[in-house]
Amino acid sequence: MSKKEWVSLFLTHHAMAMTAKLSLAIFLFFLLALFLNLAMGEEETEVEDPELQTCKHQCQQVRQYTESDKRICLQRCDTYYRMKQEREKEIEEETCGRKEREGKGHHHHQHEEDEETREKEEKEQEEKEEEEEIPYIFEEHDFDTSVETKGGRIQVLQKFTDKSKLLQGIENVRLAILEANAHAFVSPRHFDSDVVLFVIKGQAILGWVKESETEKFSLEAGDMITIPAGTTLYIVNREGNEKLFIAMLHIPVSTPGKFEEFFGPGGRDPESVLSAFGWSVLQAALQTPVGKLERLFNQQNEGSIFEISREKAQALAPKKSSWWPWGGPSKAPFNLFSKSPSFSNQYGRLTEVGPSDEKSGLDRLNLMLTFTNITQKSMSTIHYNSHAIKIALVIDGTGQVQIACPHVSSRSHSKHEKSSPSYRRISAILKPRMMFVVPPGHPFVIIASRKENLQIICFEVNARDNKKYTYAGKDNIVTSLDNMAKELAFNYPADIVNGVFDRKESFFFPFEFVSEERGRRADA
């Protein structure tokens, strides 16, 4: 039934119930008002419907009506308006149902897509927040494989600032790991970056072009050497049964945070950088016919890392000068595994090579290399660097690291009514190939597991004038502070504070594995 039919029904019923005192003129006026409101098509609301207002207004204005008539009239207005709303609702439901049936498949599919998109966005946001919550920890998935052949591979860690903007201090530094199979040859190349090379595991031959000739080094685990930007070098794994692992810290000299490798000798793979020049240029520069040049630069197709015979590997070794079959008169200037330690006791050992060490080449780069070997069930002291940013790579063993961080806390916690920041503990379980970064001023501690020693190699950026400050052990900050300042800071007697912080050992201590106390902040 249409809206007009409902109105007609109402008017018929109303007319029959009216008393004889209702004049024809007033009735026609009321009828006209109702139809005018229908024609206007104004939007109805539940609170003040124009049509209902008009109906009730007319009931009040008819002079012939007694009070009883007016009440009956008003009741009939409400009854009509309620019936009209119910009918309109039925029509609306029928229309929506028809449209829903017609487009059910499309809407259902669209709804699922919307749900999937929303869930994906929420997951990405959670992952982003999680990464920001742990800005200083890097695992194997943070490395990208830049080269992979049958002979080995090179993995490069993502830019530090891709992990967190908090690491802008080392934005220009990149770390790569070379993994070479037995008797693999790493083709000659040069980088547009200074390189600090550290042999993690294995034995290698390093050849570089220096002053119009090749200088060769026999390298072993623990050796470090700096390679100036632009120096052409090659590497050979001189072992026949073991892989060679080398960490290479790149400090780009061209584009900040980005380095490139350039192959001079080469062919199709690796492609020689000389192939970028025209044959006429190469012919004039090398005084060689084009045909011969074409054969030369199309011959190599083994890749940039490939295996060679034992005889060829031996031929690349430095000249023999003793009984050692691989030669070895030229060795790296420093070996962190055998160098005298800076700190050492039964709980651990710290060895350092820094800017002050002659022939290290680290002064120009403002770098320090350190090797830490923590005995099982032992820990380092809680300490921090004054200037250096520590880039740490686990090379053997397992354990954990804990870092105090104010930056994460400021993003994760609500504002508090204190005159100091809140600190949150960032911690991670450590295993080989994992990395962590410790900014200057951030106290941290490293703990070895119950069953094995923990060995870590560190590249420390901004090492010049750096000092290590400790919170425990001999000559720590707290015990070195004068007693009055100590009492004021802790609001506790100085002799008791000294008793807590003072101990005879330096830098490395035994560690007891106990459950965390209640009330401590959770790990990030």
Side-chain angles (χ1 to χ4, degrees):
M1 185 179 294
S2 68
K3 184 183 290 187
K4 289 185 177 181
E5 290 173 333
W6 275 98
V7 173
S8 176
L9 178 63
F10 165 73
L11 293 176
T12 301
H13 182 74
H14 183 74
M16 293 175 62
M18 282 292 173
T19 63
K21 291 183 287 185
L22 181 63
S23 67
L24 180 62
I26 296 299
F27 178 76
L28 292 175
F29 177 79
F30 175 62
L31 178 63
L32 179 61
L34 290 178
F35 277 104
L36 283 174
N37 277 281
L38 289 174
M40 289 174 65
E42 293 180 355
E43 184 178 353
E44 297 107 345
T45 65
E46 292 183 5
V47 179
E48 293 184 355
D49 181 77
E51 184 177 335
L52 181 61
Q53 284 183 332
T54 302
C55 181
K56 291 184 176 182
H57 178 73
Q58 294 300 326
C59 290
Q60 297 290 346
Q61 294 299 317
V62 179
R63 294 182 179 180
Q64 293 88 338
Y65 275 8
T66 64
E67 290 300 321
S68 177
D69 292 333
K70 290 181 180 180
R71 284 196 300 271
I72 295 174
C73 181
L74 292 173
Q75 290 175 359
R76 293 186 183 278
C77 287
D78 290 333
T79 302
Y80 162 72
Y81 179 66
R82 185 171 61 254
M83 294 171 63
K84 184 190 77 166
Q85 280 189 315
E86 291 175 355
R87 180 54 186 165
E88 288 177 348
K89 185 177 180 181
E90 291 176 0
I91 295 173
E92 182 180 356
E93 290 176 350
E94 290 177 2
T95 304
C96 291
R98 184 172 61 255
K99 290 182 178 180
E100 184 178 354
R101 288 191 297 272
E102 292 174 352
K104 183 176 180 181
H106 170 73
H107 287 298
H108 180 70
H109 181 67
Q110 184 65 41
H111 178 71
E112 288 183 344
E113 289 184 347
D114 292 342
E115 284 292 325
E116 290 177 0
T117 302
R118 183 163 56 253
E119 290 176 0
K120 184 178 179 181
E121 291 175 351
E122 290 176 355
K123 184 177 180 181
E124 290 176 351
Q125 181 64 26
E126 288 176 359
E127 290 176 351
K128 183 178 179 180
E129 291 176 356
E130 183 178 350
E131 288 179 356
E132 285 298 311
E133 287 293 298
I134 313 178
Y136 303 140
I137 309 299
F138 297 83
E139 301 190 59
E140 286 201 50
H141 62 77
D142 293 310
F143 285 84
D144 295 321
T145 301
S146 62
V147 175
E148 186 163 18
T149 70
K150 293 181 179 179
R153 63 177 179 172
I154 297 176
Q155 292 185 297
V156 180
L157 184 69
Q158 62 174 280
K159 288 183 65 175
F160 288 104
T161 48
D162 289 346
K163 183 76 168 182
S164 173
K165 298 301 181 184
L166 297 174
L167 301 178
Q168 291 180 1
I170 49 175
E171 182 178 16
N172 190 43
V173 177
R174 302 297 300 276
L175 182 74
I177 305 293
L178 166 65
E179 180 182 332
N181 294 337
H183 287 161
F185 178 71
V186 183
S187 294
R189 68 199 69 191
H190 74 266
F191 301 98
D192 59 350
S193 59
D194 292 308
V195 180
V196 180
L197 182 150
F198 178 82
V199 181
I200 300 173
K201 181 180 179 181
Q203 295 183 326
I205 299 164
L206 170 69
W208 70 16
V209 177
K210 188 175 183 180
E211 297 179 358
S212 303
E213 65 178 7
T214 300
E215 185 175 355
K216 299 181 180 181
F217 299 86
S218 292
L219 303 179
E220 60 186 21
D223 280 344
M224 63 79 54
I225 191 168
T226 58
I227 303 168
T231 301
T232 295
L233 73 146
Y234 65 83
I235 298 172
V236 182
N237 181 0
R238 69 190 197 192
E239 286 288 337
N241 299 315
E242 294 185 1
K243 286 187 176 183
L244 171 69
F245 293 91
I246 294 179
M248 305 175 74
L249 189 76
H250 290 263
I251 302 95
V253 297
S254 177
T255 305
K258 184 177 177 60
F259 70 92
E260 298 288 352
E261 55 186 359
F262 300 84
F263 295 89
R268 288 180 293 169
D269 186 12
E271 180 181 343
S272 171
V273 69
L274 297 176
S275 64
F277 300 96
W279 291 119
S280 58
V281 172
L282 295 177
Q283 183 177 0
L286 303 176
Q287 295 184 332
T288 303
V290 173
K292 192 172 184 179
L293 291 173
E294 289 180 340
R295 290 192 295 274
L296 174 64
F297 288 106
N298 281 285
Q299 187 66 28
Q300 180 56 266
N301 198 33
E302 293 287 334
S304 60
I305 307 174
F306 55 92
E307 295 181 14
I308 59 176
S309 65
R310 184 181 187 277
E311 291 71 27
K312 291 181 179 178
Q314 188 170 0
L316 288 166
K319 299 293 183 181
K320 289 191 292 185
S321 61
S322 64
W323 60 271
W324 179 246
W326 291 96
S330 296
K331 293 188 176 181
F334 294 98
N335 185 291
L336 271 78
F337 293 170
S338 60
K339 187 177 183 293
S340 297
S342 304
F343 300 96
S344 181
N345 58 27
Q346 66 187 94
Y347 306 112
R349 169 179 175 151
L350 173 66
T351 306
E352 301 173 315
V353 177
S356 61
D357 291 293
E358 294 184 8
K359 298 182 180 180
S360 68
L362 297 175
D363 182 52
R364 180 176 58 85
L365 302 176
N366 195 13
L367 285 173
M368 173 178 279
L369 260 70
T370 67
F371 170 65
T372 304
N373 186 357
I374 304 177
T375 308
Q376 63 187 56
K377 298 182 181 179
S378 301
M379 62 180 285
S380 72
T381 183
I382 302 173
H383 64 291
Y384 63 90
N385 285 324
S386 63
H387 292 78
I389 304 173
K390 179 184 287 288
I391 303 172
L393 173 66
V394 180
I395 60 176
D396 195 26
T398 57
Q400 62 173 295
V401 61
Q402 297 183 8
I403 307 170
C405 181
H407 309 291
V408 171
S409 177
S410 64
R411 288 197 307 267
S412 304
H413 293 83
S414 59
K415 295 182 179 180
H416 48 76
E417 297 179 359
K418 292 198 300 183
S419 62
S420 65
S422 291
Y423 307 99
R424 191 169 180 184
R425 184 179 70 226
I426 294 176
S427 66
I429 302 300
L430 300 177
K431 58 184 179 180
R433 299 292 291 271
M434 277 190 66
M435 289 185 56
F436 60 91
V437 175
V438 184
H442 288 53
F444 70 100
V445 63
I446 305 172
I447 305 166
S449 66
R450 292 183 176 91
K451 297 183 179 180
E452 55 186 340
N453 291 5
L454 177 61
Q455 298 183 359
I456 300 173
I457 180 72
C458 299
F459 300 90
E460 302 199 356
V461 182
N462 300 330
R464 196 178 297 117
D465 300 324
N466 181 63
K467 295 185 182 300
K468 290 179 171 61
Y469 293 102
T470 67
Y471 279 113
K474 188 178 180 180
D475 299 327
N476 68 75
I477 296 170
V478 177
T479 55
S480 300
L481 198 65
D482 64 88
N483 286 338
M484 180 55 68
K486 221 174 317 200
E487 289 190 359
L488 292 172
F490 282 98
N491 193 23
Y492 219 69
D495 57 341
I496 299 179
V497 175
N498 288 332
V500 171
F501 281 87
D502 193 20
R503 66 184 304 168
K504 296 179 180 180
E505 300 96 341
S506 293
F507 216 83
F508 297 105
F509 317 127
F511 180 78
E512 294 183 9
F513 288 83
V514 295
S515 58
E516 292 290 334
E517 298 176 6
R518 291 185 178 181
R520 296 295 300 275
R521 289 185 294 273
D523 296 356

